[in-house]
Amino acid sequence: MTGFSSDWLALREPLDLAARDRIVEAVFLENVPSVAPRMLDLASGAGATVAAWKDRLPGDVRWLLTDNDPGLLEVAASRWNGTLEGGLSTLEVDLAGALEALPFADVDAVSTSAFLDLVSEAFLQRLVKCVVAARKPFLASLTYDGQIGFEPAAPLDNTMRNALNSDQLSDKGFGNALGPGAAACAIYLFRSAGYNVVQGQSDWEVGPSDAGFLEEFLSGWSRVGVKHGATREEVEAWRTRHLNQARSGSFRCMIGHIDFTAFPD
């Protein structure tokens, strides 16, 4: 999987860190060893999961970050070089083709962030099978759930939300993606396999102070709107309206996400 720049990931990371559900994470932490835990992180990008957990997991945690983008893995390795007591290693891997080759049996826990909405149900079935067979706890953070709300609202908001949610269902390298339905599907699969699941909301709360993120996010979203049938003129008017609201300090946007942890008895 490729297609996410380190600049974009850096823009969204503060929102991700603020949004994570602390109750879900606390339950996950209860299922992780308190001494030298070995963490396998999937679709790691530039290391956002490490950023979220570096001060909460034991200091001697050992990380294995996996991704198909060597550039992002290099950013992650450079970012955390020499700062982690337990150490960090990276593995360039095509998760779509080589998921089962990962060392699920040799780690203590498995995590991923902002990933599951990009994959298909068939991939989720494979992932759940790997985690359950190894009897490991699993944490999935920041899975998009399709809910978006603007304040103040604009006439094109519903059209743009529907366009984004439709686009989320396209193939991201893992077959047709589940998009907003991914978290519910994964939770169902884990529970069907006998795992316990605790879930919570991890919604982005975007405000006027997030101008850099908002500019990039609305620009990308505008292209999706045109792709799915809106005119360039109405999309540009929609984008400009919300940017002006942000500049005036009156803008708020909620973008829904779900966190969940799954673990054996």
Side-chain angles (χ1 to χ4, degrees):
M1 182 187 67
T2 59
F4 297 99
S5 72
S6 58
D7 290 341
W8 162 248
L9 296 177
L11 283 172
R12 66 168 287 169
E13 187 170 294
L15 290 164
D16 288 344
L17 291 173
R20 286 170 176 267
D21 188 290
R22 295 302 183 184
I23 294 175
V24 169
E25 292 187 332
V27 174
F28 174 70
L29 193 58
E30 291 172 358
N31 289 278
V32 175
S34 59
V35 177
R38 299 160 298 173
M39 297 288 298
L40 170 62
D41 191 53
L42 307 177
S44 304
T49 305
V50 180
W53 282 94
K54 65 182 180 65
D55 296 324
R56 302 187 65 199
L57 285 168
D60 53 1
V61 60
R62 290 168 286 173
W63 287 97
L64 174 59
L65 306 188
T66 65
D67 204 283
N68 197 34
D69 189 323
L72 291 179
L73 289 177
E74 185 177 346
V75 170
S78 175
R79 181 181 185 185
W80 304 113
N81 182 38
T83 66
L84 303 173
E85 179 184 338
L88 179 147
S89 58
T90 63
L91 176 64
E92 182 184 347
V93 59
D94 176 9
L95 294 174
L99 178 70
E100 289 79 5
L102 294 178
F104 289 93
D106 300 329
V107 300
D108 296 304
V110 183
S111 61
T112 191
S113 298
F115 174 54
L116 296 189
D117 45 69
L118 305 177
V119 308
S120 64
E121 182 174 357
F123 180 86
L124 277 184
Q125 291 171 341
R126 292 167 57 202
L127 174 58
V128 171
K129 184 177 180 180
C130 288
V131 173
V132 171
R135 301 287 291 174
K136 305 303 180 184
F138 178 78
L139 175 69
S141 302
L142 301 157
T143 304
Y144 175 62
D145 70 0
Q147 302 301 309
I148 301 175
F150 289 98
E151 185 181 339
L156 203 65
D157 288 345
N158 287 339
T159 297
M160 293 299 289
R161 182 182 64 247
N162 292 339
L164 180 61
N165 289 343
S166 294
D167 201 68
Q168 283 283 305
L169 304 178
S170 62
D171 189 343
K172 309 297 193 303
F174 298 87
N176 290 337
L178 287 167
C185 181
I187 289 168
Y188 170 79
L189 291 172
F190 273 114
R191 284 179 171 155
S192 297
Y195 260 43
N196 302 299
V197 177
V198 175
Q199 70 180 88
Q201 289 299 125
S202 52
D203 302 334
W204 281 349
E205 298 289 346
V206 185
S209 63
D210 304 304
F213 165 85
L214 190 63
E215 181 77 40
E216 186 70 18
F217 181 64
L218 292 183
S219 293
W221 194 352
S222 295
R223 292 190 289 273
V224 170
V226 173
K227 175 182 174 182
H228 286 268
T231 69
R232 294 185 184 277
E233 291 76 14
E234 62 185 356
V235 168
E236 179 58 22
W238 170 85
R239 185 184 75 88
T240 301
R241 178 172 181 161
H242 282 315
L243 286 176
N244 287 338
Q245 290 168 345
R247 290 169 185 143
S248 70
S250 63
F251 175 83
R252 295 291 186 276
C253 178
M254 182 284 295
I255 302 168
H257 294 83
I258 294 172
D259 285 0
F260 74 87
T261 183
F263 52 94
D265 289 329

